[in-house]
Amino acid sequence: MSGKHFYVTTPIYYVNDKPHLGHAYTTVATDAKARFHRLRGEPARMLTGTDEHGQKLEQAAAEAGRDPFAFATENSEKFKALWKKLNIAYDDYIRTTEERHKTGVQEIWRRAEAAGDIYKGEYEGKYCVSCENFLTDLQLDEGKCPDCGRPADPVREESYFFRLSKYQEPLLELYERNPRFIQPDSRRNEIVSFVSGGLRDLSVSRTSFKWGVPVPGDPAHVIYVWFDALSNYATAAGFGQSGSGQGGSESGFPADTAWPADQHFIGKDILRFHSVYWPAFLMSAGLPLPGQIFSHGWWTVEGQKMSKSLGNAVDPHWLIEEYGVDAIRYFILREIPFGADGDFSHGQLIDRINSDLANDLGNLLYRTLNMVRRYRGGKISRGEGDGGEEARLAGIVREAAARYEAQMEATDLQAGLRTVWEIVSAGNKYIDAAAPWALAKSGPEERLDSALYHAGAALRVIAALISPVMPEAADSIARQLGLAGDWLSAPFAELVDLYKMPGDLDTDLGKPLFPRIEEDARAALEERVAARIAAGSETVEASDSEGEGLISIDDFRRVELRSARVEAAENIPKSKNLLKIEVSLGEERRTIVAGVARHYAPDELVGRTVVIVANLKPAKLMGVESQGMLLAAEDEDGLRLVGVEGGIRSGSRVR
Ligand code: MSP
């Protein structure tokens, strides 16, 4: 562990859309890890946030007809709302549009530049906007992005490059020196072989859109969104805030910084960015490296790749409403080994709720407190006496708690939970063997008290150990046992020691923690799932432009039409058809190459208010970059431009 805190992070999420199950998974796992460290009495710091720059966001905002920042803010709030509902106890939430981040990113850039690792060139190749990833022809899969399967765009533009090639050896040394830098091992091996195959320098700036952090000293370029996004882990820890300025060599972190992070939790799809680019950027900037990158697997839903319609059936808000927050947190961490892929099925979820939560844990709590109420008027007292069963239970708890600690430490969250259920099962067996109902009839009373104390004490240990994953259930068990409100702040060694439970407790048996989902409720739930899948596909179909040739209102809104005033126009040498036109959209000026030369003389255009498509990809025509398109109507007799009447402000949206 570094510094004063155990510092653990989630990826920062793209805000082009609302959060889904995959995002919830990474975040719940990270939260559970942070809470585990807090449980052990270590201060832990959890960071999450949103990745708000880049072409994907700029496009999504334009499609929605929104200003990028307002659009990002609205979606970032959706992530925050879900984290609240999922009981995520994060300490900091960073948005890459915040000043503290932007200054920090620029400082990392300056340091990399000062190290001689950044140079200007031209990028020519493909770009996947969805993954925000540069791709070579070799990587493409029939013209499509190998990761997300979407078509990749050709890109040719001036770009700064980062000398990634220089870091091939240092990275291999890092993986060698710190074999746990990338986990799980299978993923580490993939990365080692990828890096061993050689690294090409990486394009780290873009010029064809604006939505990003400007390159220091060259604001025509915005910093590549992954360079920007990865830096969040350091900027949130205060990097670049001290005003150290122009690529300084001092640490750049405040004295009490949490950096370096101990662990970055991420999905396997973004491993390369985290385990190759990120440490290389840090090495270049002369900054300490994080301790570990833990890459988890991907969820399918009901055996299929998560799609819009299936996503609707696992919408995290809806899942929480149907099953309860802790059942969901438990299921996603218990169902599959952390690091492997898995399938989310409602049937499996219901089975787990019924067996692990309702039957095993719920029953242990219910039968214990029910007997305490019936035989002892709700009071747990210490009692004397050990029939051998007690010592056995204490031994199992001791051993299991130590094993749990090692498993959670190693981020084997599934194994940690399985270990807790060994205690649950030992608790149930203990009650069967101690048979308090027989002791209640024929005594001795001391033994009855001891049996109820031991069963309650096992529940207290269980509550402590499930608290990182199921914080509400843990608190509810503690409350029902009659423990004090601050029960969880006791030292870990005491929390897992049966005999450290107070010997005089007023219990309060509440409603069942996890009610069983009976057959009729199960059938009704399955119907609701099917209805959601169907509703999800309807939304997808409604937005599908193929079919009857109709488009939805959302499809139409993707086209950003704006009013523009023609400021200047001129012929393009050697072209009979094209005019070069300068238009103003308020603050912004654009050059548009339009095929209107046969219909208008340049002078006729100046001063008119026309309508342009403002979010068209720029294209070069006769050596001039055209940044939009004029709208015009055409028939056999000629072509007339579409205009806007009266004194409308330039740049106004046309709907
Ligand atoms: N913005 C980048 C991360 C930048 S970190 C410096 C990004 N964002 S994301 O919103 O697309 O995804 C974030 C996380 O969600 C990733 O860890 C990804 O693996 C996870 N998941 C997205 N879909 C998933 C599943 N179907 N299953 C499990 N996790 C998945 O990438």
Side-chain angles (χ1 to χ4, degrees), residues 59 99 212 267 333 353 367 393 428 479 502 545 581 617:
Q59 276 181 8
E99 263 332 292
L333 298 184
I353 291 178
R367 64 201 292 223
L393 179 68
N428 275 317
R479 222 177 20 251
S545 57
I581 300 169
K617 253 182 236 143

Side-chain angles (χ1 to χ4, degrees), residues 11-14 20 22-23 51 226 233 267 269 296 298-299 306:
I12 48 170
Y13 301 104
Y14 287 130
H20 60 59
H23 305 126
D51 185 353
W226 272 101
Y233 304 127
D269 50 319
H296 67 67
W298 266 51
W299 286 96
M306 207 187 313

Side-chain angles (χ1 to χ4, degrees), residues 321-351:
E321 280 147 26
E322 286 286 351
Y323 299 99
V325 60
D326 279 349
I328 297 301
R329 289 177 58 117
Y330 174 74
F331 178 72
I332 55 184
L333 298 184
R334 172 63 184 80
E335 191 63 8
I336 55 171
F338 197 62
D341 292 339
D343 185 48
F344 190 103
S345 120
H346 286 268
Q348 292 280 89
L349 166 59
I350 295 173
D351 287 347

Side-chain angles (χ1 to χ4, degrees), residues 10-16 20-26 50-51 56 79 130 225-226 228-233 265-270 274 296-300 306:
T10 73
I12 48 170
Y13 301 104
Y14 287 130
V15 281
N16 57 308
H20 60 59
L21 179 69
H23 305 126
Y25 181 52
T26 319
T50 41
D51 185 353
K56 167 150 106 172
F79 280 87
S130 180
V225 67
W226 272 101
D228 166 349
L230 287 161
S231 305
N232 90 87
Y233 304 127
F265 278 44
I266 56 156
K268 64 178 183 182
D269 50 319
I270 53 175
H274 281 81
H296 67 67
W298 266 51
W299 286 96
T300 49
M306 207 187 313

Side-chain angles (χ1 to χ4, degrees), residues 5 27 47 57 124 132 198 209 273 278 295 302 304 319 337 356 369 372 381 386 395 446 468 475 518 528 546 554 637:
H5 289 87
T27 308
L47 171 71
L57 192 277
E124 182 166 12
E132 297 281 14
F209 65 91
F273 298 100
W278 179 224
S295 150
E302 308 289 350
Q304 294 172 52
L319 289 177
D356 301 7
L369 293 192
V372 173
S381 326
D386 186 335
E446 285 288 290
D475 267 337
E518 304 294 353
R528 289 202 288 283
E546 288 163 14
D554 283 332
D637 296 323

Side-chain angles (χ1 to χ4, degrees), residues 15 52 68-78 95 97:
V15 281
E52 305 189 0
F69 182 69
F71 182 73
T73 304
E74 189 177 300
N75 279 327
S76 187
E77 289 301 323
K78 290 186 188 153
R95 300 180 54 190
T97 46

